[in-house]
Every structure is written in C-alpha cells, then in structure tokens.
Amino acid sequence: VTVEGDEWHLWTSVPRGNDAPTKLYTRDGEIRNTVFHADNQRIFFSAPADGTFQIFVTDARAAPPRQITFSERDCFVVDV
C-alpha cells in the first residue's frame, strides 16, 4: 500500500522475474489490513464505505474490488 496525497494505492508484484509491481486499486481514503489468501490469488483489505470500514476482496489480476461485509460497525481483515 502506498499513499500519494489523499489517494491510497494497493499494489502487488510477482516474486519471480523482474516484473514491475502492478497497481490493483486506487481510492480516495485509507486502505488497511491487507492480507493475501493462501491461494496467492485473492487479496483482502479493509477500507471505508459510507464512513464505516468494510472488508473487500480483489484478485492478483486487478479485478475490481468487491465489498464482502456490510456492517454498521467497522470490520477489519485479521487473517484468512
């Protein structure tokens, strides 16, 4: 995760070869608790949605993130 001004960026890179990192997602606002799934294909993270942190999932191929929690209280990824 990198931050440039108000924009937060989620990146991934392949540990083999000399490929440059791939930007998976950019948003205005914080990204927290980024966790890779054991299958090395899915990435979970927490980010605000309507003022409350929710959990999102994307994949290593930069698919659009999908919100998977819809709680009235903050939800944070801890482990998968």
Side-chain angles (χ1 to χ4, degrees), residues 1-79:
V1 175
T2 61
V3 181
E4 295 175 18
D6 291 336
E7 288 188 338
W8 290 61
H9 309 281
L10 179 62
W11 299 80
T12 189
S13 65
V14 179
R16 59 187 181 276
N18 294 324
D19 293 339
T22 301
K23 189 184 303 183
L24 300 177
Y25 180 56
T26 297
R27 65 173 285 125
D28 289 335
E30 195 170 359
I31 296 172
R32 287 189 189 178
N33 300 61
T34 305
V35 177
F36 278 80
H37 190 275
D39 66 11
N40 289 326
Q41 299 300 312
R42 292 175 283 172
I43 300 126
F44 295 82
F45 62 93
S46 300
D50 298 322
T52 304
F53 275 89
Q54 302 295 336
I55 297 174
F56 294 80
V57 63
T58 187
D59 66 34
R61 296 179 308 271
R66 184 171 47 93
Q67 185 175 338
I68 60 172
T69 61
F70 298 89
S71 179
E72 293 179 6
R73 295 184 177 167
D74 290 335
C75 296
F76 295 100
V77 179
V78 177
D79 194 8

